Amino acid sequence: MFDVSKPWLNRVLEGGEKQYLKAVDGVSFSIAKGETFALVGESGSGKSTVARMVVGLLPPTDGEVVIDGVSMSSRAALAERQRLRRRIQMIFQDPYASLNPRWQVDRIVAEPIRAFRLIEREKEITDRVGELLTLVGLHPADGKKYPHEFSGGQRQRVAIARALASNAEFIVCDEPTSALDVSVQAQILNLMRDLQDRLGLTYLLISHNLAVVRHMASRIGVMYLGRIVEISNGRELFAHPKHPYTRMLLDAVPDVGMTGRQRIPVSGEIPNPISPPSGCTFNPRCPFANERCRAEIPPLLGGVACHAIHEGRLAVDAAA
Amino acid sequence: MADAIQAAPAPHSTPTTWAGRFFDSDVWASFKRSKLTMVAAFLTALFMASAILAGLLSPQDPFDPAQLELMNSRLPPIWDAEGQMPFVLGTDEQGRDIFSAILYGLRISLAVGILGVALSATLGITLGLVAGYLGGTVDAIIMRIADVQLTFPAILIALLVDGVVKAVLGGQLDEVTTLSVLVFSIGLSFWVQYARTVRGSVMVEKNKDYIAAARLIGLPTPVIMFRHVLPNVLGPVLVIATINLALAVITEATLSFLGTGMPETMPSLGTLIRIGNNYLFSGEWWIVAFPGIALAVLVLAINLLGDWLRDALNPKLR
Amino acid sequence: VTLRYANQGDLKSLDPYTLNETTTIAHHGHVYEGLTKRDKDLSIIPGLAERWEISEDGLTWRLFLRKNVKFHNGNPFNADDVIFSATRVRAQGSNFQTRVPSGSEWVKVDDYTVDVKLKSPNPIMNAQWDTWYIMDKEWAEANNSVAPTPAAATTPSYASLNANGTGPFKIESHQPGVKTVFKPNKDWWGKVEHNLDEIVFTPIASDATRVAALLSGEVDVVEPVPLQDVQRVNSSANAKVQAGPELRTIFLGFDQTRDELLFSNVKGKNPFKDKRVREAFYKAIDIETIKSRVMRGMSTPSALMIAPQLFSLSKDFERPKADVEGAKKLLADAGYPNGFEVGMDCPNDRYVNDEAICQAVVGMLARAGVKVNLMAQPKAQYFAKVLKSGNYNTSFYLLGWTPGTFDSHNVLFDIEGCRNDPNSSRGESNLGNFCNKQHDELTDKILVESNKEKRDQMIKQAFQITFDEYGYIPLHQQALAWGVSNKVNLVQRADNQVLLYWAQKKE
Amino acid sequence: MFAFVIRRALQAIGVLLAVGIISFAMFRFAGDPVNQIVSLDTPAAEREQVRRSLGLDDPVPVQFARYLSRAVQGEFGVSYQFRQPVSDLLAERMPATLELAFCATLFAIGFGVLMGVYSGLKRDSFLAKVFQTISLIGISLPTFLIGILLIYLFSVILGWLPSFGRGDTVRLGWWSTGLLTTSGLKALIMPSITLGLFQMTLIMRIVRAEMLEVLRTDYIKFARARGLSTRAIHFGHALKNTLVPVITIVGLQFGSVIAFAIITETVFQWPGMGLLFVQAVQNVDIPIMAAYLMLVALIFVLINLAVDILYTIVDPRLRTSIRQPA
Amino acid sequence: MAEPVLSVRDLRVEFVTRRGILKAIDGISFDIAKGEVLGVVGESGAGKSVTGSAVIGLIDPPGRIAGGEVLLSGMRIDNLPPEEMRRVRGKRIGMIFQDPLTSLNPLYRVSEQLVETIRTHTNLSASGARKRAIDLLAEVGIPAPERRIDSYPHEFSGGMRQRVVIALALCAEPELIIADEPTTALDVSVQAQIISLLKRLGREHGTAIMLVTHDMGVIAETADRVAVMYAGRIAEIGPVRDVVQNPLHPYAKGLMGAIPSLESETDRLVQIPGSMPRLSAIPPGCPFNPRCPFVFDRCRVERPEPIQHSEHRVACHLYDETSARPEAVA
Ligand SMILES: Nc1ncnc2c1ncn2[C@@H]1O[C@H](COP(=O)(O)OP(=O)(O)OP(=O)(O)O)[C@@H](O)[C@H]1O
Ligand SMILES: Nc1ncnc2c1ncn2[C@@H]1O[C@H](COP(=O)(O)OP(=O)(O)OP(=O)(O)O)[C@@H](O)[C@H]1O
Ligand SMILES: [Mg+2]
Ligand SMILES: [Mg+2]
């Protein structure tokens, strides 16, 4: 929850109330070891916020993130949390922005090693950095370059190498390929796959490119305005989308296969998150909305949060 | 731009030594392209060198009263019929050799400039960094202090600080103390500029993901602030610093005009100009002209360097 | 005919008793008058008192006041005004309290006769009468200005914003720091010697600007012209410098009272207690070079602590010749073969070329082996440091002195007198406390001696003591330098008061 | 908006208090005011009396508290030198300083912006280099020297302009202006140039740098792609976008304009507050010094406010954030 | 076929840097007919944007057009004097840049920017221009345009801003629109709206469109023909369905193969080994030869010229009948 109220003084004088923006509201999901969980949804639906809360960059206002049985938000488990830190890493949306432009790449990659004191001897650190760079398909000699001397795909690899340096087992990837062309994107996705196969990594993948998600994810959560509206197995979601929003999203995807499928644009704009619609937040754009949808927030039952489906008004196999 | 991913050796390999990288950089290239900048750099270097070597280059130690001969006072430059060796540029009212005085004065002016800028930059950068990074109350307090500071420009501060120091120390103000007062006053009044600039950039930088990445590793805040953020906000600071270097020299001269600069027995370039200023009408033009020219050329050179640096550091302008 | 006049300083308060400052007093002199006045040669002439008599015992002075004098507002001048003024000048907030002997009683005999009853005889009481001006009692009372404006007041008195005197000029308008306009007083009792219809006075603090204003013809009279610009002014087509000797004596003094100097590397003793050291300093200084190079010939080297105009026997004294070798030898004899270090205090905005003189002195002493650390500072800080209020916080200093009474006694008492008696104000300005019993005994006798010849001999004796002891190093009397347009004729008085009621201007 | 004003007012009071405390802490080192009031041969007893009557024998905090309590009632005391209420003196001097500062700033902005735009547009042209070098004179010679040189040239040698003062002024209520008479305007020329030269250089350099920056932005490129005329692009789109930093600098520098006005006013005997302040420092006239510093602080706070309001006029993106800084 | 709206002949663009002259565009030719959408794809840095800028004459120094011709409806425009070129821009060619946030001047209202542009190119009165501006906004699908027109750009969402940019490009009903990655910053839902808007323009106004993007889905859906660029040259150009489904050039093959699809079931995506050469070090012969799986000797020495192959034009020696082909193309 972000406090976006006016400053205290203004409120006192103008009689306004405290305003909160619920970026993420009542999101629950779990990720099993070794799987790839994906979050999809329109821009501003709260995907990045979830990612940042999962790695502990943002404290949740309510609820908790539990990793391997340790709560990331409880005060007591400080030491535990510190140990967890090194097992979780994040690959940021924009690889260039996530690398300090004034640091050489080997220093960037070595930073978690030094910070967590994984290796003490300088010589061994150098060796380990070289090893990591090789692992992600770079040359150890590239360590002496600065981030701007790399191409986008290479930078992404550096970020991955840094994430691996802490021996992380769980990596959060926030739109890792959004700005890349397909050939470079293919390189990165393949690498992520290889690493998962070899090291048994767990991924939380965020993307608005549904094709990428479909290619990578074992399970997928669809977010709309801070809530998860549908959770499903990867292939299942694309084959049998349930929630009206999911259907709308899939319909909007352009068709590369040239199957002649007509693309239906999503209608309407995403509402203002500060004053979301009451009831189901999707109701103003939903063709199946009724009074209940406008009044009552649907619970996530059977992998979907939709009154119409729960009531059987909307058949599960109606689309796709 | 992309190199071959499988580490195909780049045709233009990047030099690894520090110096190598410098001479390979775009900054150096743009330096070589601009004649004006090269002249400015040469002049700046010349001034620095002559300030450092003042003792060797000058025929007289203008700060040693025993070497001043009142009978030699107010001699015109050497090319004038009344000029005398070794006073190439003439002498002032006390028989001080203008040429020597310029060299020694340069030393003081540059010291004031460089130290003043160093002090204000350190202060300003630290406060700006802290304010920008921590935000909230700390930020508000530092920025209010900055507001108070801004109402006391360098001149007022120096007038006040000078009085305080003289009164507190009561006794004699030696060279070092006077210099410290000036440096302190100038440092104190210039820091706001740095603080505001740095704060602005920090507020942009701190939201970038490389800071989030550092936090993710669990680095302590001061380490993040100084190791990660600082290097990325230094660009504009460098440019302000060159301008302020010149400004500090001028401010010192102005303070001298108000009677709180360097003492006349140890004149800085500014003090020399202030002294010479009194002789503008009386025909002894050389007392003000040569120090004035020296100061103007110095400031010009430093600023041309600053201008060039500003452009050269901006990758979009190359 | 309008005369435009610019001075370095300003006419600050119109209340004649609040600020003791030459420029301000001189301006008041156009508007107000004292019981006596000083003539062009500084001799005392009758002012609002036509004449006065001293009783046999010297304790009662009878004043006969001028009749038919009117204040600018038309009120007649009479004995009440004198008594009122004598009271007001001694009231709180006045800075001229000592100009009237303390404890003296002023009694009205009739409208034009006043008796002054003294506690002890004071033969030179009338020497200060010209420095406190007579104000109008009725006007002051009507305008709630009976007491002088104290500086701490939150509202200024009427008298500090308005003037009502008996003098030859009236103030037409006054904007402090900007402009003051004077108009002639048509009803003035005296003989008008000027031909002006208006005086416009502007302060111009910056030397260069003031000279520029004279050279460009924007003003007719400026005071002072900086020494270095004298030639430039003289060579210009429309103005010249009117120069003359001034009464102020510039001198150097030593701390001769502390057992260890405050600012020196000599520890455990005070070199200035040794007469040889003082003599060495005296001899190291080449006053002629200072005159020619620093003062550009515009000074009168002096052997005495008083200007020759103020003491007739001055010519009997002659400055010893400068002698660096002799100085070195004296220092060696005194136990300082390699000299020593001492700090010197010097104002840098008070006297003509004050800082330059100090620098020259520093150079000359350096040649005799003494390293002087010069501390030149603005007068505000300088006086705060060296005067009594600053605990005489100095070891070696430069100062200037004009005896307010134009009489040697003032010098002998204030500057050369021993300040050992805490109940007396003797020697309060004797910053280094040069002290000689015999000298002080003479001083006391001089005060009550009314025979001029005898008195002069006693003064000479007292000065001789200081001279022989090298108690002070008198340097010179600085020169007055007024810049005057070629169209203007001025009378220059040695006390540096620019008095325009003697001015003539050609159109 | 109301809350914004109130918050600014509270901040202003804080700033003023801080300025006051700092000033008072420093005054006692400026010298002994008594020496400036009495003459050298005034006996110590009389000096003490003057000191007491000025309240200078009280401890500094007491003096400050007394000053504050009076200042709140609009009493700023009486000048030691002039024996006039400080508020009258400052009120009389303020128009002079503000007019000078205004004209200097106008001069600086006018020429600075023009030269900056030109040298930003034609970065490599000869004239741009000339501008850049010449403008540096503004910061390479001390203000006082520039002033004296101008006086020497234009007053003494050419006799065109007056060397000192404000010329004839006209009263409009309590405000005396020199802007309505020929002599007043003539008198403004040299001081304005002297004072404005430094700001002009600064503004020119900022405008130039910003122009270079802005001309490479996407919206300028897009404006060109839309085929807008060069004039519209340079002066409509580019220049307006350079204004925010220019306003910042002009605002930030206003303090130094006021400070350097001290020098300029001294050189030109300009009857403004700066001159009054210099003389107050020389004569340890504490009431004037205190009031001046507070007034400068107040002006500065107002300028800050004006700058913030100007921002929102120039840049609509800031409008919401002023009303609610998030 | 009638005269093409845009005809580019052997265009060359160079950047003069201190490390030598970079050939960003090295001899490309293509036409766009009335109402046609030409998609341009290719690896990052291949020269897509530079081509667009070169057509509209907005190559900034140190770049320069080093050769070739650009013809707009038969009129040569690459050598027009600046003032005449200015009149072509906006009036006859509209440009849409990638980033909707930075393309609009933040200090002016949308209405001001629209009216200014309209009045530059037409002689409408102020009120007439405003009316037209409102119509334009309605046309690009902004709801309640008469209310929104006086907003500032920052008050619009990204998608709406992009639509304003398009409206600005449409002001004078240009014959040609160059859209440089118009949807990269937008999410799928907005993207779909923009694409359908562009398609409608081509259909209804006969506007020719050059659409630069790296989103193959968009290309497949929108373009009539597609050009695949590699290292400053056109590797292959042809009808969209052919090129996407049956690419000839090895690079185009690699590119199409790398697209993750919503249907196919692969574990690994196909990737092209290596990366595009730096412009300063383009290998002799075919620029793709170091990465090409079908490379043979001729590729390393001789630069392949585009040749017609069925409906494609492809620059590859494999399809040159004269070259000794080592084996059949897969
Ligand atoms: N620091 C913040 N303060 C206030 N609101 C915020 C903040 N960060 C994010 N938000 C808001 O929270 C909501 C969710 O943002 P988030 O970045 O998680 O979206 P997202 O799904 O990642 O979108 P995108 O696909 O554009 O990255 C948005 O409405 C955003 O405006
Ligand atoms: N100002 C410039 N100076 C030097 N080289 C440039 C400049 N602008 C572009 N280039 C080079 O020209 C080449 C083509 O760039 P262009 O922007 O057209 O690529 P693109 O195909 O649009 O790539 P992307 O998909 O990343 O937008 C690139 O290699 C780039 O480095
Ligand atoms: Mg996101
Ligand atoms: Mg591009």
Side-chain angles (χ1 to χ4, degrees), chain A residues 1-4 21-24 41-52 58 93 174-175 206-208 223 225-226 271 273-274, chain E residues 185 187:
Chain A
M1 217 184 275
F2 298 101
D3 185 349
V4 291
L21 185 153
K22 284 189 178 164
V24 174
E42 252 168 313
S43 188
S45 54
K47 306 181 296 289
S48 300
T49 310
V50 169
R52 280 168 187 263
L58 277 176
Q93 184 164 351
D174 190 357
E175 307 198 359
I206 291 172
S207 178
H208 63 231
M223 287 191 72
L225 220 59
I274 295 179
Chain E
D187 60 85

Side-chain angles (χ1 to χ4, degrees), chain A:
Chain A
M1 217 184 275
F2 298 101
D3 185 349
V4 291
S5 330
K6 298 178 178 188
W8 173 81
L9 186 67
N10 290 57
R11 269 183 286 122
V12 172
L13 289 165
E14 290 164 8
E17 290 194 358
K18 240 179 152 48
Q19 286 180 326
Y20 294 100
L21 185 153
K22 284 189 178 164
V24 174
D25 190 4
V27 167
S28 306
F29 58 88
S30 55
I31 308 175
K33 198 166 170 60
E35 79 166 345
T36 302
F37 184 86
L39 280 177
V40 298
E42 252 168 313
S43 188
S45 54
K47 306 181 296 289
S48 300
T49 310
V50 169
R52 280 168 187 263
M53 278 189 310
V54 166
V55 297
L57 283 174
L58 277 176
T61 323
D62 198 12
E64 57 180 354
V65 175
V66 180
I67 294 175
D68 262 5
V70 179
S71 166
M72 291 295 282
S73 46
S74 73
R75 285 180 180 280
L78 195 98
E80 297 262 350
R81 251 171 36 222
Q82 195 58 36
R83 239 176 306 120
L84 268 184
R85 270 261 158 79
R86 73 189 54 167
R87 297 172 52 197
I88 317 165
Q89 278 300 317
M90 178 158 173
I91 299 170
F92 293 87
Q93 184 164 351
D94 178 357
Y96 189 56
S98 70
L99 303 176
N100 189 335
R102 308 280 160 145
W103 281 26
Q104 283 172 349
V105 157
D106 54 1
R107 194 172 161 206
I108 294 177
V109 174
E111 200 185 16
I113 301 178
R114 298 209 170 95
F116 296 139
R117 298 189 190 284
L118 296 176
I119 305 173
E120 296 290 339
R121 300 246 309 281
E122 272 308 303
K123 174 78 180 66
E124 286 172 28
I125 295 182
T126 317
D127 290 348
R128 171 77 177 135
V129 169
E131 193 187 321
L132 285 165
L133 289 176
T134 318
L135 189 65
V136 297
L138 295 172
H139 194 273
D142 287 337
K144 288 290 161 219
K145 291 199 213 162
Y146 286 89
H148 71 266
E149 297 173 86
F150 288 92
S151 75
Q154 287 170 316
R155 284 178 204 149
Q156 197 75 63
R157 285 155 190 257
V158 173
I160 294 173
R162 174 174 59 187
L164 295 177
S166 61
N167 295 340
E169 296 153 21
F170 176 39
I171 301 181
V172 175
C173 312
D174 190 357
E175 307 198 359
T177 57
S178 64
L180 303 175
D181 62 285
V182 280
S183 58
V184 178
Q185 171 177 299
Q187 289 173 346
I188 286 189
L189 296 182
N190 285 339
L191 174 69
M192 284 173 62
R193 266 284 172 88
D194 291 349
L195 290 171
Q196 188 168 42
D197 292 348
R198 255 196 296 156
L199 306 173
L201 299 184
T202 311
Y203 292 122
L204 170 61
L205 173 70
I206 291 172
S207 178
H208 63 231
N209 187 331
L210 294 174
V212 168
V213 167
R214 178 172 186 274
H215 178 72
M216 296 292 290
S218 39
R219 284 195 314 128
I220 300 172
V222 181
M223 287 191 72
Y224 184 75
L225 220 59
R227 291 167 188 278
I228 291 196
V229 294
E230 184 168 357
I231 289 190
S232 169
N233 267 346
R235 305 288 140 105
E236 174 71 16
L237 184 93
F238 287 89
H240 311 289
K242 295 182 194 133
H243 196 280
Y245 174 66
T246 317
R247 298 176 193 204
M248 203 176 253
L249 206 61
L250 288 183
D251 282 343
V253 176
D255 172 30
V256 203
M258 307 237 136
T259 55
R261 173 173 64 81
Q262 252 311 303
R263 180 178 174 182
I264 309 155
V266 177
S267 60
E269 299 261 332
I270 195 160
N272 182 354
I274 295 179
S275 51
S278 60
C280 173
T281 43
F282 189 59
N283 79 64
R285 296 166 78 182
C286 180
F288 311 104
N290 63 10
E291 272 317 307
R292 187 176 172 211
C293 295
R294 281 184 269 276
E296 200 180 308
I297 300 174
L300 189 66
L301 287 177
V304 62
C306 177
H307 293 308
I309 292 190
H310 297 160
E311 291 167 4
R313 275 191 283 132
L314 183 59
V316 170
D317 268 335

Side-chain angles (χ1 to χ4, degrees), chain B residues 75-95:
Chain B
L75 292 174
I78 193 76
W79 52 86
D80 194 284
E82 288 166 39
Q84 277 178 26
M85 273 312 270
F87 308 113
V88 183
L89 301 181
T91 61
D92 76 354
E93 174 121 303
Q94 296 289 335

